[in-house]
Amino acid sequence: MKRFKNILFVVSGAPANRLALSQAVNLSRQNYAQLTIMIAARETPPDWEFAAVMERHLREQAEQELAEVVAEFELDAELPKPTIIFKQGEPFIEVVRQAISESHDMVVKAADPTEDRSRIGFVSMDMHLFRKCPCPIWLFKPHKNSSDKLRLMAAIDPSHENETSLELTRKIMELSTSLRERLPNSSLDVLHAWSYEHEDTLTHNPFLRVPEERLAELVEEAKVAQRRAFDESLVAFDLAPDSVESLFLKGPPTEVIPETIKERNTDILVMGTVARTGIQGLLIGNTAETILRHTDCSVLAVKPKGFTTPVTP
């Protein structure tokens, strides 16, 4: 993950905040990157007498936790010193504005817990960041496995042949393989949930009487074409057979990906959040939105080339 040189860490009160900060510090160490620690607080009345006290308290908390995490690593003296900033406003908007104005190439944050502990997925601010943050965003949840045996998953869809989708697949593969290399003893699953998009229509529409044999042929043709594209994606990254497990599973990604994460006890999912660009108001694909709302692991999400955020600097 040597591509990241200007990392933004967003302070959160979530249980995984320290773990997320540790990963951000380690990522900056590996890349000799600048690390900015951002406290994004809701705006207070300008004449509120406790405003200065609140800011000082939040800064002191962030400084103390940063010092404790830094002490866990052997940091090179030439590594840029982390800076701490304080911004007030709508938190997710301030984070996106900071990412834009300072050209951050990665945002790291601990995922906020859901109010109902029986629910999984991501909540309001995190979903806003998934939708609107222009650079890759890494939202952390507590890992299920020990830190030296993490399970990673890259969810790709190489079946679409347009350049935007292919570039997104390349980004996902680059990030997931680089991440696996920097996490000792970690494993990587590369998953593609395939389907024949017209199968349901041809099966259940009473006005389209397609013989079963013909439908089976169409499904098999789709399977072969998507399997070929999937295999080519793996070959392009020269992955050793013992370093990755490929999962080519039939079904809608909104069901296959969350189910497979649960079955394989995945710790970190790497995925794209938008499949198309150029459509006003399309901030996140419906498929990605559904997956994120049913995923109980850390997510490293990337946008395709050409994505434009609706948030103004």
Side-chain angles (χ1 to χ4, degrees):
M1 301 178 75
K2 293 182 178 179
R3 57 184 293 171
F4 300 112
K5 296 298 181 183
N6 191 11
I7 301 166
L8 177 65
F9 176 79
V10 181
V11 174
S12 166
N17 187 75
R18 189 183 181 98
L19 172 63
L21 180 57
S22 294
Q23 294 291 349
V25 170
N26 194 33
L27 192 59
S28 69
R29 178 182 66 85
Q30 293 171 339
N31 292 273
Y32 277 83
Q34 176 64 54
L35 175 62
T36 302
I37 313 295
M38 180 176 182
I39 303 166
R42 293 197 175 278
E43 195 166 9
T44 59
D47 57 348
W48 191 47
E49 60 182 307
F50 300 108
V53 175
M54 181 190 72
E55 179 178 348
R56 184 170 65 252
H57 174 66
L58 291 174
R59 282 183 176 274
E60 289 174 352
Q61 278 188 321
E63 289 169 356
Q64 180 179 345
E65 189 159 39
L66 176 61
E68 292 172 354
V69 169
V70 166
E72 299 172 4
F73 296 92
E74 293 183 5
L75 301 183
D76 194 307
E78 297 180 5
L79 182 69
K81 185 177 180 180
T83 60
I84 297 177
I85 61 174
F86 179 86
K87 297 288 181 70
Q88 282 188 300
E90 180 60 43
F92 82 86
I93 291 178
E94 295 305 318
V95 171
V96 175
R97 283 176 174 166
Q98 172 69 21
I100 296 171
S101 64
E102 298 303 320
S103 301
H104 291 288
D105 49 22
M106 167 71 86
V107 173
V108 182
K109 177 184 174 294
D112 292 325
T114 57
E115 293 182 5
D116 180 356
R117 293 188 178 182
S118 65
R119 289 182 55 211
I120 59 176
F122 294 84
V123 294
S124 182
M125 178 177 175
D126 295 340
M127 291 303 296
H128 277 301
L129 291 175
F130 277 133
R131 295 179 185 119
K132 301 176 178 71
C133 186
C135 65
I137 178 164
W138 197 349
L139 290 185
F140 274 80
K141 291 192 174 185
H143 293 155
K144 304 167 187 176
N145 298 290
S146 61
S147 59
D148 62 339
K149 292 184 179 180
L150 296 180
R151 298 189 64 91
L152 317 177
M153 179 184 294
I156 64 173
D157 183 6
S159 60
H160 300 293
E161 297 183 353
N162 64 76
E163 185 57 34
T164 297
S165 295
L166 293 175
E167 174 64 23
L168 187 59
T169 294
R170 284 194 289 269
K171 283 185 179 181
I172 294 169
M173 292 298 294
E174 287 172 359
L175 289 174
S176 57
T177 53
S178 181
L179 182 58
R180 178 184 55 79
E181 291 172 359
R182 285 161 175 75
L183 293 172
N185 302 316
S186 62
S187 63
L188 173 62
D189 297 326
V190 182
L191 180 149
H192 172 46
W194 74 277
S195 63
Y196 174 51
E197 62 179 334
H198 304 300
E199 183 176 5
D200 187 65
T201 300
L202 296 179
T203 301
H204 299 104
N205 192 313
F207 302 104
L208 298 173
R209 297 175 180 175
V210 179
E212 290 185 8
E213 295 81 4
R214 178 54 181 156
L215 179 58
E217 289 176 359
L218 292 171
V219 172
E220 183 62 22
E221 289 173 4
K223 178 181 179 180
V224 170
Q226 293 186 54
R227 180 80 215 199
R228 183 185 306 114
F230 181 57
D231 290 341
E232 288 174 355
S233 295
L234 301 182
V235 170
F237 283 85
D238 194 25
L239 299 176
D242 60 348
S243 68
V244 63
E245 184 162 353
S246 60
L247 304 175
F248 185 72
L249 305 177
K250 188 174 189 293
T254 52
E255 296 177 8
V256 170
I257 294 175
E259 289 172 359
T260 307
I261 286 172
K262 185 176 181 180
E263 291 170 2
R264 299 185 71 81
N265 216 28
T266 301
D267 295 294
I268 304 172
L269 169 67
V270 185
M271 64 177 287
T273 54
V274 181
R276 300 177 287 167
T277 57
I279 301 178
Q280 185 68 28
L282 179 62
L283 306 180
I284 186 169
N286 290 335
T287 296
E289 179 110 18
T290 302
I291 292 169
L292 290 169
R293 292 195 180 279
H294 294 85
T295 296
D296 192 24
C297 68
S298 299
V299 173
L300 174 51
V302 297
K303 301 289 195 308
K305 185 177 180 180
F307 172 81
T308 302
T309 178
V311 176
T312 55

